[in-house]
Amino acid sequence: MTNPAPEAAVPAAAMHITASKVGKIYPAHDGEVVALREVSFGIRAGEFLSMLGPSGCGKSTFLLLVAGLEAPTSGEIAIDGQRVTEPVTDVGIVFQEHGLYDWRTILGNIMLQGEIRRLPLGPLEVRARELLRRTGLEEFAAKYPHELSGGMRQRAAICRALVHDPSLLLFDEPFGALDALTRVQMQIDLEKLWLQRRQTVLFITHSIAEAVALSDRVAIMSPRPGQIDEVLTIDLPRPRDKAVVASKRFAEYCDAITERFMARGIIQY
Amino acid sequence: MKSQLWKSALSPVIGISLLFAVWEIGVRVTNVSVFLLPPPSRIFQEIWTHGPMLMRHASSTLGIILAGFALSAIIGIPLALAVAFSPLFRRTVYPMLVFSQLVPKIALAPLFVIWLGFGFLPKVLIAFLLSFFAVVLQSVVGFTSIRPEQVRVARSMGAKGATLFFKVRLPQALPNIFAGLKLAMASSAIGAIVGEFIASQRGLGYLVLVANGEMNTPLSFAGMLLLTLMGIVLYFAVEGVERLTTGWHVSQRLNPAL
Ligand SMILES: Nc1ncnc2c1ncn2[C@@H]1O[C@H](COP(=O)(O)OP(=O)(O)OP(=O)(O)O)[C@@H](O)[C@H]1O
Ligand SMILES: [Mg+2]
């Protein structure tokens, strides 16, 4: 358990995303903030990988670097072997909240993917409506974001991230602002959607149970300056239905992660 | 939505009718001289008999208001863009704009007459000076209040440059821009009147001034009533365009909790 990430053995070719010695320093008014220090690891194609770590350890920063929305200060990120130097577009991103455009209807928000990417809008709308139906939002297509609940808005944001069928999904605490009940339902829905397409997913969360419930692997980060502490493989059957979540092994995985954080002094009893 | 619109239009009409009724009755009961306070009926009569002449003056004023407003929009919004997106411009030109607002602009009006004469231009300039800053200030707030996520999501779709601006930054800023435009329309009307007070042989401002000089209070009131009506129509014209372009925001505002 204490050994550093074992996936270094996996050849880089099998990786969808590779981070090599990635560092990120933000300038601040009182000096500099080292958000990430020498982060090296990979995400395999089609894998669901969660990042778990204390607040401020650089998870969001890492996601922005992968998306090409921020540039690393040192090291590099590569997608399919290509160094990331500008915003990645074969991607769907969901942020914690406020990601939707207030001035567009739910359908309009989703269709923006097609308008900006210049995709044929007819087929895209069929797909958008299908996603809305699958996420229980079909009657809300013509509503504005402020007319929806927080959970519905996040579902709409997920539809928008999926509609153009990207091979990479980036989620930054997408369910962070939701109540516990809605959150569990969203996890179930997300796994269903993902199982059909098996995109590569980088999923950031604060919830240990959420990470275990959704992921193939969980990357545990140490406090700032952020580094990958350990990458844990979650060997549980899918779909992660009630039986799996209630199983002893599920609890053991959660325990192992909790202990990891206790050893780091991040969780104290 | 339609019925709500009707209701929101109806209640002010009822309110104003009530005001006129109280005014009419009050003046008749107390027998106030027409030279002090004419009853509404007398004002309407004045408008009726001098219709064509009033319309001529009104159209001249309208031209100034609209020109001042248009200048404010055409110059104010690009200025706001420069302030919002160029740190250099924000550091150098923006403070000057702010200081320019501390100059008593109405006191400048006579100077414009000296510089530019008695024509259309000095009045439009006064209307513009009184109104453009509201557009700049509000638009800057609009352009800078965007949340980083909203820009990031669009960039991950491949949006940049003009696409990013027209699909994301501009629609996001529109509610604020319209708030500025509505203020600008009101100030432009004030500017036009000030201009006509100071140097004109035309316009409702000039008419009110002359009527006052001749102690023709009913005509003076007729001019003011027309000015007010014009202001209301212009204001709601801007609001109408706002409804068309930012219906999402207007419907949000209708929420009684706000
Ligand atoms: N734009 C920025 N400018 C300056 N410092 C920043 C910026 N963004 C993040 N930071 C700093 O970098 C560090 C990591 O931030 P980041 O948002 O990546 O953390 P995080 O792990 O996502 O935290 P959380 O779980 O609370 O969202 C923090 O100390 C933060 O203050
Ligand atoms: Mg974060």
Side-chain angles (χ1 to χ4, degrees):
Chain A
M1 283 286 281
T2 46
N3 293 338
E7 87 281 1
V10 177
M15 292 293 171
H16 189 170
I17 295 162
T18 40
S20 331
K21 297 194 170 176
V22 168
K24 177 67 180 176
I25 298 172
Y26 286 110
H29 59 93
D30 55 351
E32 295 175 332
V33 181
V34 182
L36 291 173
R37 174 171 291 166
E38 300 233 328
V39 170
S40 299
F41 88 119
I43 306 176
R44 302 187 183 106
E47 116 172 294
F48 198 120
L49 182 131
S50 289
M51 264 189 154
L52 198 56
S55 184
C57 71
K59 303 182 296 294
S60 300
T61 301
F62 185 74
L63 182 137
L64 292 178
L65 294 180
V66 171
L69 294 167
E70 288 276 352
T73 316
S74 58
E76 70 167 63
I77 304 245
I79 294 185
D80 292 327
Q82 292 285 320
R83 183 183 183 149
V84 174
T85 52
E86 56 175 25
V88 176
T89 54
D90 182 17
V91 70
I93 305 185
V94 180
F95 288 106
Q96 181 160 9
E97 45 186 339
H98 304 317
L100 293 178
Y101 298 116
D102 309 317
W103 59 91
R104 285 179 163 253
T105 61
I106 296 306
L107 184 64
N109 261 280
I110 300 174
M111 295 302 290
L112 187 65
Q113 289 278 18
E115 289 174 32
I116 291 182
R117 295 169 188 276
R118 301 182 187 287
L119 305 173
L121 295 182
L124 195 80
E125 185 172 335
V126 173
R127 207 178 131 69
R129 289 192 184 276
E130 166 65 11
L131 281 167
L132 285 172
R133 191 185 59 71
R134 291 230 303 264
T135 49
L137 290 175
E138 54 186 336
E139 297 140 56
F140 298 90
K143 297 262 187 235
Y144 286 97
H146 70 91
E147 298 171 299
L148 269 60
S149 73
M152 291 156 88
R153 279 201 289 269
Q154 286 309 79
R155 272 181 270 162
I158 291 173
C159 292
R160 187 177 62 187
L162 295 177
V163 72
H164 53 297
D165 204 11
S167 61
L168 174 63
L169 295 175
L170 302 175
F171 292 81
D172 193 352
E173 298 185 42
F175 310 146
L178 303 183
D179 66 280
L181 284 177
T182 312
R183 189 165 185 158
V184 169
Q185 188 58 54
M186 302 279 287
Q187 292 164 10
I188 297 165
D189 296 343
L190 177 61
E191 193 199 22
K192 272 191 199 145
L193 287 168
W194 174 74
L195 280 174
Q196 292 182 346
R197 286 284 296 113
R198 296 267 183 176
Q199 303 94 330
T200 307
V201 181
L202 171 60
F203 187 94
I204 293 173
T205 177
H206 275 136
S207 159
I208 294 173
E210 183 168 276
V212 175
L214 286 170
S215 315
D216 296 322
R217 290 191 302 156
V218 177
I220 300 171
M221 290 190 77
S222 62
R224 200 155 52 84
Q227 276 179 315
I228 306 281
D229 210 13
E230 178 179 353
V231 181
L232 193 69
T233 302
I234 309 292
D235 190 9
L236 290 172
R238 288 193 187 270
R240 306 268 164 89
D241 54 21
K242 183 164 168 303
V244 177
V245 173
S247 68
K248 188 153 159 284
R249 287 186 48 218
F250 185 92
E252 282 168 0
Y253 278 122
C254 292
D255 256 10
I257 296 174
T258 307
E259 264 159 36
R260 195 84 211 98
F261 282 131
M262 283 171 68
R264 278 284 189 171
I266 295 158
I267 298 178
Q268 294 174 342
Y269 283 97
Chain B
M1 185 70 212
K2 259 255 152 32
S3 72
Q4 246 171 339
L5 214 72
W6 263 112
K7 260 186 225 158
S8 67
L10 205 61
S11 24
V13 168
I14 293 174
I16 290 168
S17 315
L18 226 77
L19 175 76
F20 278 156
V22 171
W23 180 352
E24 181 82 37
I25 295 165
V27 170
R28 281 173 193 248
V29 168
T30 55
N31 231 340
V32 178
S33 149
V34 168
F35 296 105
L36 290 180
L37 184 65
S41 59
R42 183 64 213 280
I43 300 171
F44 295 139
Q45 189 191 331
E46 200 70 25
I47 293 177
W48 183 250
T49 47
H50 297 295
M53 182 264 284
L54 282 166
M55 285 309 130
R56 251 197 338 274
H57 286 294
S59 67
S60 156
T61 308
L62 181 67
I64 296 168
I65 298 177
L66 287 178
F69 172 80
L71 267 186
S72 283
I74 292 167
I75 295 176
I77 296 173
L79 271 181
L81 272 173
V83 172
F85 297 115
S86 156
L88 182 68
F89 195 88
R90 185 162 54 241
R91 278 199 306 273
T92 53
V93 183
Y94 193 48
M96 294 197 314
L97 288 181
V98 175
F99 292 149
S100 80
Q101 293 309 297
L102 304 173
V103 177
K105 289 170 294 294
I106 294 180
L108 279 181
L111 268 182
F112 287 162
V113 177
I114 298 176
W115 293 337
L116 301 165
F118 289 82
F120 182 66
L121 193 60
K123 287 161 217 126
V124 171
L125 265 183
I126 295 166
F128 163 73
L129 275 185
L130 276 179
S131 58
F132 89 99
F133 197 64
V135 179
V136 177
L137 211 61
Q138 284 288 336
S139 306
V140 167
V141 172
F143 286 125
T144 52
S145 65
I146 194 160
R147 297 185 289 259
E149 293 92 343
Q150 299 193 314
V151 177
R152 285 174 180 153
V153 167
R155 291 218 290 148
S156 79
M157 297 178 188
K160 47 191 156 199
T163 312
L164 188 62
F165 179 74
F166 286 108
K167 292 278 183 196
V168 177
R169 291 192 190 276
L170 184 63
Q172 196 278 149
L174 273 184
N176 287 96
I177 293 177
F178 272 107
L181 289 178
K182 283 192 273 186
L183 285 171
M185 189 57 102
S187 328
S188 180
I190 295 173
I193 305 308
V194 170
E196 289 175 348
F197 272 1
I198 289 167
S200 201
Q201 280 88 49
R202 255 189 308 178
L204 289 174
Y206 163 77
L207 182 86
V208 168
L209 206 68
V210 170
N212 270 339
E214 294 169 354
M215 302 276 276
N216 187 349
T217 323
L219 185 62
S220 164
F221 265 90
M224 285 191 277
L225 187 66
L226 280 183
L227 271 173
T228 312
L229 274 177
M230 211 151 74
I232 292 173
V233 169
L234 289 175
Y235 184 89
F236 281 101
V238 182
E239 183 146 315
V241 178
E242 182 188 21
R243 258 173 217 284
L244 286 180
T245 51
T246 66
W248 59 278
H249 186 255
V250 176
S251 70
Q252 202 167 358
R253 255 191 352 221
L254 283 179
N255 183 345
L258 293 177

